[in-house]
Amino acid sequence: MIVLFVVILLLVLTGLAVLWASRLPGELIIDLGAGAAYEIKLVVALLGLLLLGAAIAVVWSFVTGLMTFPARFSRSRRAARVRDANKALADGLLAAEAGDAALARKLSKKAAQFAEDDRLKLLLEARTAEIADDWSNAERAYGQLARLPGGQLAGLRGAAAAASERGDGIAAESRAREALELKSSADWPFNSLFDSQVAAGRWPDALDTLDQGERRTQIPPENANRRRAVLLTAHALELRRTDRREAQRHLSEAHKIAPDLPAAAFHAARYL
C-alpha cells in the first residue's frame, strides 16, 4: 500500500514537472559541428532526459538483480528449509509426547540441521531417546541442553532422571545438587536429592539437604521439622551401638522437635 502511494506520488510530481517545463520558453540547440545542428524544444529535451534516466534505472535494476539472484535464491531456499525444520521440530515434540518413537526419531533427524532453536532440538532428541528407553543417549542430550542458556534447569532434571533410570545414583545426585544451587523456585532438585539420600540411608547428608530446602522455602517449616525428627531418629538408631551419647542427643532433639512422633517418643523413652 505504501509502495503504491509512493508510485502515484512520483507520477503526479513527474506530470507537474512536465507541465511546468512545457511552459518554459526557448529551445535546446545541439551543435555537432561541420554545420550540423539540431534544435529541440526544451520540454522534449527534459522528457528525453527523464526517459533516459528511467531506462538506465531499469537496466541497472535488472543487472543488479542478476548479480544478487544466486544469494537471494540461496537465502530463500534456506528460509524454506528452516520453516520445514521448525515444523518438523514441533511435530516431533508432539510425536514424542504421544509415545511414537519411530516418528519422533524421523522428525528429529529432519529438524537437526536447520531448526533454529538448539535447545528444542536437544529436547526432542532427549525425549525420543527416553520413549525408546535409551537412557544413555537421553542423559547425553539432556546434559548438552543443560549447558545452553535457558536450558539449564530442564536439562539437569532430565539428566538426573535418565541417570536414575540407568541405575547411576551418584550421577543423578550430582545433577540434582547442581540444580539445587541455581536460583530457581523449582522444588524437584530438593526432593530428588533428599529422596535419594534417604533411600541410601545417608542421614547426615539428608539433614543438610533438608536445612538447605528449608532456607529456600521449598518445604513448609512444620513438614521440615517432622522430617528432621524422623531423620534424627533413624540416625540415632544407627549410632546406638557405636556412639550411644550421640544417639541419645539425636533422640532428645527429635522428641523436642516432634513430640507427637511415635517413633521418636518410643526410642527416646527407651534409650534416654
Side-chain angles (χ1 to χ4, degrees):
M1 192 69 182
I2 296 177
V3 174
L4 179 63
F5 174 76
V6 171
V7 170
I8 294 174
L9 180 62
L10 288 175
L11 289 175
V12 170
L13 291 176
T14 302
L16 291 174
V18 171
L19 182 63
W20 171 77
S22 65
R23 295 179 179 178
L24 292 176
E27 296 179 338
L28 179 66
I29 299 175
I30 302 176
D31 189 357
L32 300 178
Y38 294 94
E39 293 184 0
I40 304 175
K41 290 185 177 181
L42 191 58
V43 64
V44 175
L46 290 173
L47 283 174
L49 286 175
L50 286 173
L51 291 175
L52 179 62
I56 292 174
V58 170
V59 172
W60 177 253
S61 176
F62 179 74
V63 171
T64 55
L66 285 178
M67 293 174 63
T68 59
F69 177 75
R72 288 187 291 109
F73 180 71
S74 177
R75 286 196 300 270
S76 176
R77 285 191 62 189
R78 181 169 182 82
R81 287 174 177 174
V82 168
R83 284 195 302 271
D84 291 342
N86 287 339
K87 183 178 184 303
L89 185 60
D91 292 343
L93 287 170
L94 292 173
E97 290 303 315
D100 190 339
L103 180 58
R105 189 178 299 108
K106 176 183 176 181
L107 293 170
S108 177
K109 291 178 180 178
K110 184 176 180 180
Q113 187 174 0
F114 294 104
E116 293 176 309
D117 197 326
D118 290 336
R119 298 170 302 176
L120 293 181
K121 286 192 287 187
L122 287 168
L123 180 60
L124 174 56
E125 184 179 348
R127 290 289 296 119
T128 302
E130 277 184 339
I131 60 177
D133 292 332
D134 185 358
W135 300 109
S136 294
N137 277 327
E139 185 178 3
R140 175 192 55 78
Y142 276 126
Q144 292 177 355
L145 175 61
R147 291 195 289 270
L148 296 180
Q152 274 186 302
L153 200 60
L156 289 171
R157 182 176 192 175
S164 180
E165 287 289 342
R166 63 181 183 82
D168 190 346
I170 295 176
E173 279 194 26
S174 176
R175 300 289 191 176
R177 187 175 291 106
E178 187 178 347
L180 192 60
E181 298 300 324
L182 299 176
K183 292 182 179 179
S184 169
S185 60
D187 60 358
W188 74 262
F190 161 71
N191 289 325
S192 177
L193 185 58
F194 181 80
D195 291 345
S196 175
Q197 291 166 341
V198 169
R202 303 205 324 265
W203 315 119
D205 292 340
L207 283 166
D208 290 341
T209 301
L210 183 61
D211 290 340
Q212 190 172 1
E214 189 175 19
R215 286 196 302 271
R216 289 170 173 259
T217 66
Q218 291 176 327
I219 180 172
E222 59 276 11
N223 291 352
N225 285 335
R226 192 165 186 84
R227 288 194 189 187
R228 187 173 291 107
V230 172
L231 293 173
L232 288 169
T233 301
H235 195 200
L237 294 177
E238 189 178 76
L239 293 173
R240 70 182 186 274
R241 290 188 179 88
T242 57
D243 192 344
R244 189 176 181 83
R245 179 174 295 179
E246 186 69 9
Q248 290 174 340
R249 188 179 68 82
H250 285 336
L251 287 171
S252 177
E253 185 178 354
H255 184 59
K256 181 180 179 180
I257 292 173
D260 59 336
L261 183 65
F266 171 78
H267 291 292
R270 184 177 180 184
Y271 292 106
L272 293 182

